[in-house]
Amino acid sequence: MIRPRHILRALLLTASLAALSACGFVGFPGVYKIDVEQGNLVTQEMIEQLQPGMSRRQVRFIMGSPLVEDTFQPDRWDYPYVIRNGADIIREAQVRIFFEGDSLVNITGDYLPDWANPNAAGDEAEESQDPADAGNNAEQASAENS
């Protein structure tokens, strides 16, 4: 015969396990979750200091050591960055720097310098193609020639 004391222990143990497992699933209300930063913090000011032709040593001085130096792609450095609060991602960024030999040749990702930004070159070209400016430039050129 099963004793009532054993049944009570089994029920108490089951209830305790259920309560503890629910705490991990739901989470404790009002518990402060810290912001967790992972990767390399990269700013636009750091990226603007980079110039084509810089050596790896100069780039490392400005940007810091890359988080990922791929063995299979030695001419590419990756600088990922993510800041989280619990499971929520607050900010995420990725910058890739490409070299040919020891010289910086290209940058891709979320932060770009003016020389690597394809949109910046397009904006300057559009500004110089303004029809009103083209007419004024033509008048100035003909006045200088006469």
Side-chain angles (χ1 to χ4, degrees):
M1 179 169 170
I2 300 176
R3 294 183 179 170
R5 181 182 243 176
H6 292 293
I7 293 174
L8 185 60
R9 281 186 185 169
L11 285 174
L12 185 60
L13 182 62
T14 304
S16 298
L17 288 175
L20 286 175
S21 66
C23 291
F25 177 71
V26 176
F28 290 106
V31 173
Y32 177 73
K33 294 182 182 177
I34 62 168
D35 293 342
V36 177
E37 295 183 61
Q38 294 179 309
N40 300 79
L41 179 60
V42 176
T43 64
Q44 187 65 36
E45 291 79 27
M46 293 166 66
I47 294 292
E48 292 297 333
Q49 294 178 33
L50 300 176
Q51 296 298 323
M54 281 185 156
S55 69
R56 291 175 187 256
R57 186 174 175 192
Q58 291 170 318
V59 172
R60 191 181 301 264
F61 179 76
I62 293 170
M63 300 290 294
S65 296
L67 189 65
V68 180
E69 283 187 75
D70 192 353
T71 306
F72 299 107
Q73 295 177 339
D75 289 337
R76 176 179 136 183
W77 287 356
D78 292 316
Y79 290 87
Y81 176 73
V82 66
I83 183 168
R84 293 188 177 128
N85 186 319
D88 300 330
I89 294 176
I90 297 172
R91 188 171 64 162
E92 189 172 19
Q94 175 76 26
V95 174
R96 290 181 194 92
I97 297 179
F98 296 92
F99 296 92
E100 279 185 12
D102 191 44
S103 298
L104 173 66
V105 292
N106 194 17
I107 298 174
T108 62
D110 297 320
Y111 298 103
L112 297 175
D114 291 335
W115 57 267
N117 190 347
N119 295 334
D123 293 342
E124 291 173 6
E126 288 176 9
E127 289 175 6
S128 64
Q129 297 296 330
D130 188 16
D133 288 341
N136 292 339
N137 291 340
E139 290 173 12
Q140 288 176 353
S142 63
E144 289 175 4
N145 290 338
S146 45

